[in-house]
Amino acid sequence: MPAQADPILAATPVEPDAGGIVGVLIKEGKVTSEQREKAKLAFVATGVRELDYLVQQRMVSLDDIVGAKAKFYNVPLVKLTEKAISPVALAYVDKATASRLQLVPFEFNPVTRELSVAMANPVDLGAIEFLEKKLGVRVKVFAANPAEVRAAVETRYVQNLSGEVTAALKETGGGGEAEVKTINIRRVGEFIKEAPIAKIVTTILEFAVKSRASDVHIEPLEDRTRVRYRIDGILHEKLILPKKIHDALISRIKILSDMKIDEKRMPQDGRFNFQTDTDEVDLRVSTLPTVHGEKVVMRLLKKTGGVPTLSDLGLRGRALKNVEDTILRPHGIILVTGPTGSGKTTTLYSILSKINSIKVNIVTLEDPVEYQLVGINQVQVNPVAGLTFASGLRSFLRQDPNIIMVGEVRDRETADLAVQAALTGHLVLSTLHTNSASGALPRMLDMEVEPYLITSTVTAIVGQRVCRRVCNVCRKPYEAEPEVVAEMKKVLGKLWLLDAASSKPLQLFKGVGCSECGNTGYRGRIGIFEVLIVSEKVGRMVLERLPANEVEKAAVTEGMITMKQDGFLKVVEGITSIEEVLRVAEE
């Protein structure tokens, strides 16, 4: 009985030139002659096509076959998961036709009247001829992964803004040709309140919430406007809009954010709330004048969902116990270090949530206040009014606090005040921009804090990064390369828990991409941590002003697990991938 075909390949049209495509794969070194012979024998024995067999046996990926097909037929290749789709292009082909012909139009050039189309079968000449005759445009064909084409047809037509964009273009008098247009600010003020632009903004924000984006970038380019979403720390281009509606789009966001719509020469900041059926989001909005127009970035801060626990963040074992022990002390300084976007503030919020009770007075000084915590006195810095980290911290000491959280130690004055607060019996939490936990100590010395004061007050330093989690829905095991295993053994050292005598290869996991993770293979994020306890030995090294690498070595001998080690342990467990750990933790 013939073997069942993979459902992804089942929708792929019968390939008359399969031999030539396999030839390209052999030439590229992705398939061996022996594997080709096995595929031929499988076809004779079971009826499974050569290309299907190669994918089923994991000799090649479907992306490899699509790439080889594009080279064989000499057509360009497009990765739909990484490509923004223009609503104007999408409007040319209805969903039923796109589904039947297995294609997605993603870009339209009004000057040349050329429609770019991604096709599962790029040599379907009948479909290409049908489109050109029906639409009156020239079709430029791109090869694409059939699974990505089907996913794009199902998702992009649901989010389609073609009707609103067309209406918006009519309102602004937008034709197809690219031209420089002067827009009357009074006219824009009337227009932006109308349905098309309002719907476009709403759809952009709804997609941001649905896709768990942390930021939305609306960027003017020379001939178009692109919308990018930062999802799990990585920017993804998802939407292309006509340049003619850019000013109206930005003005709509400015009105929502209570900004001046007639001020386009200076950066502005604002905020507004956005609510969906399930979530309420606080948006921090920033505009920036560029050579092609104003760029807008919106930071999304969820008001629903609560603050994660330290375990949820990825702290565990000895590192978690060390943090929990130090936050129970009544005084001292706990520092969280890492670059921008590494989750430092979230870690501080998790700590505050754990120690928050009616028996202690907690005050925070933040820039900005990202999450509002019940029972905690949160203050936002306002440099224009004279409220800085230093001046605010000075005032806090007269508020009878038990615990003080300062958003960041930026200068000598703030560092001195934090030290004085710790010496006088307060628990101080703050962040520093350093690459590692051990790097925080030399940074404090650079701020001219006396070494003996550092050793007397700083109790623990948490270094961290965030990695993307491998998607649980589409993750699949694979055998690690020998050089990867050797690198992991070298980094983990005594932490390497696998049986050295076992001949079983190390099995790691990666996501192949699905609708749940947006075909990225990753969904959600997890922290990797190192927790440096300022012990007596580390304290002596600070007094001697020894460099960070020496301090780190001493901490490791006392049991500290480094960030890279913590990351590799999470790779072995299948939580994240080796590529992610190396991306964020490699110096």
Side-chain angles (χ1 to χ4, degrees), residues 322-538:
N322 284 338
V323 171
E324 289 177 337
D325 288 346
T326 52
I327 63 178
L328 292 177
R329 296 182 185 179
H331 54 82
I333 298 175
I334 299 172
L335 295 171
V336 182
T337 72
T340 302
S342 59
K344 301 186 296 296
T345 305
T346 304
T347 300
L348 288 179
Y349 280 139
S350 297
I351 292 172
L352 289 177
S353 295
K354 186 171 180 64
I355 57 182
N356 185 21
S357 76
I358 58 171
K359 296 179 180 179
V360 291
N361 177 24
I362 303 176
V363 286
T364 76
L365 189 60
E366 306 170 57
D367 183 22
V369 175
E370 293 189 17
Y371 298 96
Q372 294 181 13
L373 304 174
V374 178
I376 293 176
N377 307 289
Q378 294 173 271
V379 180
Q380 184 160 318
V381 298
N382 187 349
V384 176
L387 179 55
T388 63
F389 281 124
S391 64
L393 187 49
R394 197 176 287 108
S395 300
F396 278 6
L397 295 174
R398 297 192 289 273
Q399 286 286 316
D400 185 32
N402 299 101
I403 298 158
I404 299 171
M405 194 266 267
V406 185
E408 185 184 346
V409 176
R410 293 181 179 173
D411 51 40
R412 178 185 175 182
E413 187 179 8
T414 310
D416 284 340
L417 287 166
V419 166
Q420 291 304 318
L423 287 172
T424 52
H426 304 90
L427 179 62
V428 180
L429 310 173
S430 192
T431 69
L432 267 180
H433 282 282
T434 60
N435 290 329
S436 62
S438 56
L441 298 169
R443 179 63 58 86
M444 294 281 282
L445 291 171
D446 290 343
M447 291 180 186
E448 299 182 15
V449 179
E450 291 295 333
Y452 72 91
L453 290 176
I454 295 174
T455 58
S456 303
T457 55
V458 179
T459 55
I461 305 166
V462 181
Q464 69 178 78
R465 300 285 191 281
V466 281
C467 296
R468 291 182 291 173
R469 283 179 178 267
V470 172
C471 176
N472 284 326
V473 177
C474 64
R475 76 173 196 163
K476 288 188 177 178
Y478 70 98
E479 188 178 316
E481 298 288 334
E483 54 268 27
V484 171
V485 176
E487 172 68 10
M488 292 181 74
K489 282 183 178 179
K490 179 183 173 184
V491 170
L492 289 173
K494 294 178 182 178
L495 298 172
W496 183 259
L497 302 176
L498 298 179
D499 183 4
S502 172
S503 59
K504 188 177 179 182
L506 173 64
Q507 194 177 70
L508 303 180
F509 290 86
K510 63 180 176 182
V512 295
C514 64
S515 58
E516 287 294 316
C517 61
N519 287 301
T520 61
Y522 297 97
R523 181 174 170 83
R525 293 195 283 178
I526 187 82
I528 57 173
F529 296 89
E530 60 186 20
V531 179
L532 189 155
I533 298 299
V534 182
S535 62
E536 186 179 338
K537 183 177 181 181
V538 171

Side-chain angles (χ1 to χ4, degrees), residues 90-164:
L90 214 57
Y92 273 85
V93 182
D94 61 83
K95 183 180 179 183
T97 304
S99 181
R100 178 168 56 86
L101 299 178
Q102 285 295 283
L103 56 84
V104 177
F106 61 88
E107 197 171 307
F108 178 69
N109 187 327
V111 178
T112 60
R113 292 195 58 76
E114 184 177 73
L115 184 68
S116 297
V117 177
M119 299 182 70
N121 181 16
V123 289
D124 187 348
L125 300 179
I128 297 166
E129 185 180 1
F130 168 76
L131 288 179
E132 290 189 332
K133 283 184 177 179
K134 181 184 177 183
L135 306 176
V137 298
R138 191 167 81 84
V139 172
K140 185 178 180 180
V141 177
F142 288 76
N145 186 316
E148 291 180 11
V149 170
R150 287 197 301 278
V153 170
E154 291 303 315
T155 58
R156 296 306 176 94
Y157 277 95
V158 173
Q159 302 154 3
N160 187 17
L161 289 169
S162 56
E164 286 73 24

Side-chain angles (χ1 to χ4, degrees), residues 193-320:
K193 297 173 186 175
E194 297 179 5
I197 287 294
K199 177 69 189 301
I200 291 170
V201 172
T202 300
T203 304
I204 288 171
L205 294 177
E206 282 178 343
F207 183 79
V209 174
K210 184 180 177 183
S211 59
R212 305 170 293 103
S214 60
D215 301 85
V216 180
H217 294 239
I218 301 176
E219 301 168 300
L221 305 180
E222 187 175 0
D223 57 346
R224 58 203 168 104
T225 293
R226 73 176 177 184
V227 182
R228 294 194 291 172
Y229 297 87
R230 190 175 293 280
I231 302 169
D232 293 332
I234 306 293
L235 278 171
H236 299 269
E237 188 178 67
K238 294 291 185 182
L239 184 63
I240 293 292
L241 296 170
K243 184 68 179 290
K244 290 179 179 297
I245 68 169
H246 180 81
D247 284 353
L249 185 66
I250 299 305
S251 295
R252 169 68 179 169
I253 294 168
K254 281 183 169 182
I255 282 183
L256 291 172
S257 311
D258 201 21
M259 297 183 196
K260 297 177 182 177
I261 62 171
D262 57 343
E263 177 55 81
K264 300 186 177 185
R265 301 164 300 169
M266 296 290 292
Q268 295 187 68
D269 293 305
R271 61 185 292 181
F272 67 95
N273 285 351
F274 180 75
Q275 193 158 8
T276 65
D277 293 337
T278 55
D279 295 294
E280 186 178 357
V281 180
D282 183 18
L283 290 109
R284 305 297 169 91
V285 185
S286 171
T287 67
L288 182 72
T290 72
V291 291
H292 296 304
E294 285 184 284
K295 173 182 174 177
V296 164
V297 174
M298 295 182 281
R299 166 65 60 90
L300 282 75
L301 302 169
K302 266 192 176 183
K303 287 188 168 185
T304 50
V307 177
T309 64
L310 292 171
S311 297
D312 292 338
L313 294 179
L315 269 168
R316 57 197 188 164
R318 183 167 182 171
L320 176 61

